Amino acid sequence: MPILSIKDFSIHFYTPKGVRKAVDRVNLDLNKKEVIGIAGESGSGKSTLAMGIMRLITPPGKIVGGKVLFNNEDILSYDEDKFNKEIRWKKISMIFQGSMNGFTPVFKIGQQIEEVLEVHEYKGNFKERVNELLKMVELDPSVSDKYPHELSGGMRQRAFIAMALALNPEILICDEPTTALDVITQAKIINLLKILKKELGLSIIFITHDLALLSEISDRLYIMYAGGIMESGYSLDLYKNPKHPYTQLLMDSIADINKDYIKGIPGFMPDLANLPKGCRFSDRCPYAMEICKQKEPELKRIEGDRYVSCWLY
Ligand code: SF4
């Protein structure tokens, strides 16, 4: 049984220009001690999906349907107080996009981690726990006495990971955790996450637009486009042999040192308030057929663990 199972999950934004379906009937499973990657262009709904799991969607956004099952229990049905006390940070925690800049500049790192412990009624010794967490992310405990501006970007990101792990969560959601870091620091953070996964038995949802990075860290991949899942499967299989035209074009757009050009995907993501009637990728797809403009393809299994939403299959 998956530790987290998302069923027909939908998040809409009610804007003056119409209802934007940012996440549209998404299904996804995360197994225990597994890393799943969610990839797609900016605006494909990856971060909104993560915020939805954490129940951090605020108006004009709204979760309008579906279930989020944690150990088979629908945590969307919990009231806010129960969710905060039992799930948020304790069972499911998140490293937000740009989190390394998310520390309050006027408080020391240790104080900010202690605040999390206090708010969530941690029973042990705060100072000892902060030191333990900093060591866990390979930072010297003296970092506790530093202000955020005294640390490098990589150190701040490690400190934020320590904060996310403060209450021993079972699931860690990492939203673009290495963006804005140089390649060496990026590799070190990825390595750290791999170690933490092994040592703490974490299950991880890793979100990024960087497919090459995802194939390295994740066991399975989900490809999102305009709010929907286009393809999913084992990372290496999917990376080597993408089936969905969108995934193929996404792979082609990865920068390659052997190429002297970068190929982009022609066209733009559709308006989420006005999605095409059929396949949501039909406006940009080189293989679009008549049926693609009329009827939306379902996400269906085509072989092994590979699921694709495309009329070609
Ligand atoms: Fe292209 Fe049609 Fe497949 Fe959509 S369903 S990806 S338009 S071939």
Side-chain angles (χ1 to χ4, degrees):
M1 183 182 69
I3 187 168
L4 190 79
S5 194
I6 292 169
K7 309 269 185 213
D8 285 328
F9 194 38
S10 293
I11 301 168
H12 293 175
F13 285 80
Y14 296 85
T15 71
K17 288 190 174 166
V19 181
R20 292 178 191 272
K21 297 178 177 176
V23 174
D24 194 17
R25 294 161 288 148
V26 163
N27 288 287
L28 175 154
D29 285 334
L30 171 69
N31 295 311
K32 219 168 165 41
K33 299 185 186 173
E34 182 186 42
V35 182
I36 59 164
I38 305 180
E41 290 167 283
S42 295
S44 57
K46 315 180 293 288
S47 298
T48 309
L49 173 64
M51 297 291 269
I53 297 169
M54 295 300 289
R55 292 193 20 185
L56 294 171
I57 300 292
T58 50
K62 194 177 174 205
I63 294 170
V64 292
K67 288 181 178 174
V68 176
L69 304 173
F70 174 74
N71 284 331
N72 219 20
E73 198 165 328
D74 186 9
I75 51 174
L76 278 189
S77 67
Y78 285 19
D79 64 37
E80 183 56 21
D81 193 45
K82 184 171 160 82
F83 187 82
N84 217 19
K85 279 197 173 129
E86 295 179 15
I87 303 293
R88 194 177 288 138
W89 231 306
K90 286 186 175 155
K91 299 290 180 199
I92 310 177
S93 193
M94 182 164 170
I95 305 167
F96 297 91
Q97 210 175 111
S99 56
M100 66 179 181
N101 299 318
F103 282 110
T104 309
V106 292
F107 291 112
K108 292 177 178 173
I109 298 293
Q111 286 174 293
Q112 301 195 46
I113 301 178
E114 282 186 29
E115 193 188 356
V116 172
L117 297 171
E118 194 182 333
V119 168
H120 289 272
E121 297 166 3
Y122 179 73
K123 300 286 181 265
N125 181 294
F126 286 8
K127 291 248 172 310
E128 279 175 17
R129 180 64 179 153
V130 170
N131 287 349
E132 188 181 31
L133 286 162
L134 290 174
K135 278 190 208 153
M136 206 185 273
V137 296
E138 296 163 4
L139 285 176
D140 191 89
S142 62
V143 163
S144 168
D145 267 332
K146 306 260 186 226
Y147 288 97
H149 75 269
E150 295 180 276
L151 307 181
S152 68
M155 289 169 87
R156 284 203 304 274
Q157 190 61 301
R158 281 171 191 267
F160 209 94
I161 295 172
M163 188 150 87
L165 297 175
L167 296 153
N168 268 329
E170 292 178 39
I171 296 174
L172 183 64
I173 302 176
C174 307
D175 188 4
E176 304 269 9
T178 57
T179 307
L181 295 173
D182 63 83
V183 232
I184 308 275
T185 313
Q186 195 177 75
K188 285 182 180 166
I189 295 287
I190 295 296
N191 207 29
L192 172 67
L193 287 170
K194 282 182 183 169
I195 293 169
L196 291 173
K197 179 208 156 199
K198 207 167 162 194
E199 285 181 357
L200 306 176
L202 283 170
S203 309
I204 298 179
I205 298 178
F206 198 101
I207 296 170
T208 178
H209 59 274
D210 188 338
L211 265 170
L213 186 70
L214 271 187
S215 67
E216 197 192 314
I217 190 172
S218 56
D219 300 301
R220 286 187 303 115
L221 276 177
Y222 287 85
I223 308 293
M224 270 189 98
Y225 180 77
I229 302 285
M230 299 291 100
E231 181 166 5
S232 70
Y234 287 114
S235 298
L236 279 181
D237 288 353
L238 197 144
Y239 192 70
K240 280 190 193 150
N241 185 16
K243 300 281 188 194
H244 193 284
Y246 175 61
T247 318
Q248 290 169 356
L249 288 167
L250 207 56
M251 297 288 183
D252 272 356
S253 61
I254 295 175
D256 184 340
I257 199 158
N258 298 312
K259 291 189 220 158
D260 56 1
Y261 62 90
I262 295 179
K263 214 167 153 184
I265 304 177
F268 298 97
M269 183 104 57
D271 178 358
L272 296 177
N274 196 12
L275 286 171
K277 187 178 163 203
C279 168
R280 62 192 73 209
F281 189 55
S282 56
D283 290 347
R284 302 169 79 184
C285 179
Y287 309 107
M289 305 166 282
E290 200 43 45
I291 189 173
C292 307
K293 300 192 188 297
Q294 302 303 326
K295 212 169 160 209
E296 189 180 6
E298 279 178 24
L299 187 71
K300 63 177 186 193
R301 185 166 163 262
I302 58 162
E303 59 185 36
D305 193 51
R306 187 71 65 89
Y307 289 78
V308 179
S309 163
C310 175
W311 287 118
L312 289 175
Y313 301 94

